[in-house]
Amino acid sequence: MSKESSCCETTCCNEELVSQQHKKSDDIRNKVRDSYSKVAEANNNNESCGVESSCCGVSDDIDINTLNSLRLGYSNDDLKNVPEGADMGLGCGNPRAIAGLSAGETVVDLGSGGGFDAFLAAREVGESGKVIGIDMTPTMISKARDNARIANFKNVEFRLGEIEYLPVANNSVDVIISNCVINLSPNKAQVFSDAYRILKPGGRLAISDVVASCEMPEEMKNDLELYSGCMAGASLIDELEIFMQDAGFKDRKSTRLNSSHTDIS
């Protein structure tokens, strides 16, 4: 094949590869968005939604959701101080426990869902502070906004957007929290890069997430059902450390809660 007709001697091969990567990322986002829309709709209807659609699934039994949250480190007071329906059992930890929130701080919650962690953070930062929840699922945003309105939260707002490209100004945030969401992103390096962009100098990142304890086979990584179920997209701790280091984060600390869940700050 001549140089003029050889794809791999020109930019077309790279362009095709990039196009394939973009399509894969879009397929993942669409699947995750669809799955979590179903979770929100099921919760609105007091129904359950299976674990294949979310990290932990949604039970229609309030006692089960309460028990799950208590096991993750939330208190009974926490559960009483959020609007009904905000806690949908979607987390895998309690990022506020490591965030060290203070009155007056501005907090961003990546993948805020129904607003559970955002509402709890709002109580900690007080009226002089502010919490911004970001979620790419319109149904979740609507649910969280309704929860905020019903419970009269004045220092919380919810914005529709992707966590890779946050609708938040540069150097405007004190703390970022996230609960079992970054594993769902097909571009985790960009998540940490944009998180660093919006943080003020000296700002903090506190996340609870699912991690992989070993390298997964490609068949699992490419399974969209497993991706929306918080399995296929889980990264190794070493990979996450590289993403954070490349983004500019310093003084990193990871705490393994069990074989698959980790707190990172």
Side-chain angles (χ1 to χ4, degrees), residues 126-251:
E127 294 181 359
S128 60
K130 182 177 182 179
V131 178
I132 302 168
I134 309 293
D135 204 286
M136 70 170 183
T137 307
T139 313
M140 285 290 188
I141 289 293
S142 295
K143 182 176 183 62
R145 288 174 177 170
D146 285 343
N147 287 337
R149 175 181 53 80
I150 293 170
N152 199 32
F153 274 86
K154 302 296 186 182
N155 60 341
V156 184
E157 66 170 293
F158 295 95
R159 300 177 185 177
L160 182 66
E162 297 176 352
I163 61 174
E164 296 90 351
Y165 302 98
L166 296 164
V168 182
N170 295 351
N171 306 318
S172 61
V173 175
D174 297 294
V175 187
I176 295 174
I177 61 174
S178 183
N179 196 345
C180 208
V181 171
I182 294 178
N183 75 86
L184 296 170
S185 169
N187 190 348
K188 296 171 182 60
Q190 178 60 33
V191 172
F192 288 107
S193 177
D194 215 46
Y196 192 83
R197 173 187 66 81
I198 70 172
L199 282 171
K200 299 175 183 177
R204 312 186 300 284
L205 173 72
I207 64 177
S208 294
D209 218 317
V210 175
V211 296
S213 57
C214 62
E215 190 69 35
M216 285 182 283
E218 287 300 315
E219 183 178 358
M220 287 186 65
K221 290 182 179 181
N222 294 326
D223 190 316
L224 294 181
E225 292 291 343
L226 293 179
Y227 216 106
S228 60
C230 296
M231 288 177 275
S235 297
L236 298 168
I237 282 290
D238 290 345
E239 291 176 332
L240 295 175
E241 289 281 355
I242 292 172
F243 294 150
M244 288 186 285
Q245 179 178 329
D246 290 347
F249 287 100
K250 300 178 181 179
D251 301 322

Side-chain angles (χ1 to χ4, degrees):
M1 183 177 289
S2 67
K3 182 176 181 179
E4 290 74 21
S5 62
S6 173
C7 169
C8 293
E9 292 294 332
T10 65
T11 60
C12 64
C13 282
N14 288 336
E15 291 175 352
E16 182 178 357
L17 179 60
V18 170
S19 177
Q20 291 173 350
Q21 291 172 338
H22 284 170
K23 182 181 183 305
K24 180 179 179 180
S25 295
D26 287 343
D27 287 345
I28 290 171
R29 289 193 185 94
N30 289 334
K31 175 60 178 176
V32 170
R33 186 181 292 110
D34 179 65
S35 294
Y36 282 85
S37 290
K38 292 177 180 177
V39 169
E41 291 166 1
N43 185 263
N44 288 338
N45 296 326
N46 293 318
E47 299 172 350
S48 61
C49 189
V51 293
E52 71 276 8
S53 297
S54 67
C55 289
C56 303
V58 175
S59 172
D60 56 1
D61 189 324
I62 296 177
D63 291 336
I64 291 177
N65 286 336
T66 297
L67 179 60
N68 288 336
S69 295
L70 293 174
R71 285 176 173 172
L72 292 176
Y74 295 98
S75 68
N76 282 309
D77 284 341
D78 289 336
L79 304 181
K80 293 176 182 177
N81 287 319
V82 296
E84 183 178 355
D87 178 16
M88 293 186 285
L90 297 176
C92 58
N94 181 359
R96 286 173 38 259
I98 58 173
L101 302 180
S102 300
E105 289 187 316
T106 297
V107 179
V108 165
D109 182 10
L110 305 184
S112 48
F116 182 49
D117 286 308
F119 292 129
L120 292 174
R123 295 181 64 84
E124 290 194 64
V125 301
E127 294 181 359
S128 60
K130 182 177 182 179
V131 178
I132 302 168
I134 309 293
D135 204 286
M136 70 170 183
T137 307
T139 313
M140 285 290 188
I141 289 293
S142 295
K143 182 176 183 62
R145 288 174 177 170
D146 285 343
N147 287 337
R149 175 181 53 80
I150 293 170
N152 199 32
F153 274 86
K154 302 296 186 182
N155 60 341
V156 184
E157 66 170 293
F158 295 95
R159 300 177 185 177
L160 182 66
E162 297 176 352
I163 61 174
E164 296 90 351
Y165 302 98
L166 296 164
V168 182
N170 295 351
N171 306 318
S172 61
V173 175
D174 297 294
V175 187
I176 295 174
I177 61 174
S178 183
N179 196 345
C180 208
V181 171
I182 294 178
N183 75 86
L184 296 170
S185 169
N187 190 348
K188 296 171 182 60
Q190 178 60 33
V191 172
F192 288 107
S193 177
D194 215 46
Y196 192 83
R197 173 187 66 81
I198 70 172
L199 282 171
K200 299 175 183 177
R204 312 186 300 284
L205 173 72
I207 64 177
S208 294
D209 218 317
V210 175
V211 296
S213 57
C214 62
E215 190 69 35
M216 285 182 283
E218 287 300 315
E219 183 178 358
M220 287 186 65
K221 290 182 179 181
N222 294 326
D223 190 316
L224 294 181
E225 292 291 343
L226 293 179
Y227 216 106
S228 60
C230 296
M231 288 177 275
S235 297
L236 298 168
I237 282 290
D238 290 345
E239 291 176 332
L240 295 175
E241 289 281 355
I242 292 172
F243 294 150
M244 288 186 285
Q245 179 178 329
D246 290 347
F249 287 100
K250 300 178 181 179
D251 301 322
R252 300 176 302 278
K253 181 175 67 174
S254 302
T255 303
R256 180 69 60 89
L257 300 183
N258 56 43
S259 60
S260 61
H261 297 167
T262 294
D263 283 342
I264 301 174
S265 62

